[in-house]
């Protein structure tokens, strides 16, 4: 019986790890998208400034 309990805990640990990893990746992707937008706006601003 004890063995089964340990196995259930292991499955939960793996599930939580995967969930955390997925959320982490989604957060990183969202942050990268924001950074890219900021960078593009910055580059466009520099180009406009150079043209004037």
């Amino acid at each position: 019986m004890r063995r089964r309990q340990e196995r259930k805990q292991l499955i939960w640990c793996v599930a939580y790890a995967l969930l955390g990893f997925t959320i982490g990746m989604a957060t990183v992707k969202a942050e990268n998208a924001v950074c890219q937008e900021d960078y593009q706006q910055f580059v466009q601003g520099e180009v406009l400034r150079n043209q004037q």
Side-chain angles (χ1 to χ4, degrees), residues 37-48:
E37 274 179 37
D38 284 349
Y39 179 70
Q40 282 173 349
Q41 283 175 357
F42 168 74
V43 169
Q44 283 172 353
E46 288 296 303
V47 169
L48 286 175

Side-chain angles (χ1 to χ4, degrees), residues 1-39:
M1 192 64 201
R2 197 175 148 72
R3 198 91 190 118
R4 208 159 146 189
Q5 196 71 31
E6 283 176 13
R7 190 184 222 162
K8 200 181 266 182
Q9 272 182 325
L10 183 68
I11 289 169
W12 272 111
C13 285
V14 172
Y16 274 121
L18 283 174
L19 188 66
F21 179 72
T22 306
I23 291 170
M25 289 303 283
T27 306
V28 167
K29 278 191 179 148
E31 281 175 7
N32 281 349
V34 169
C35 287
Q36 280 182 330
E37 274 179 37
D38 284 349
Y39 179 70

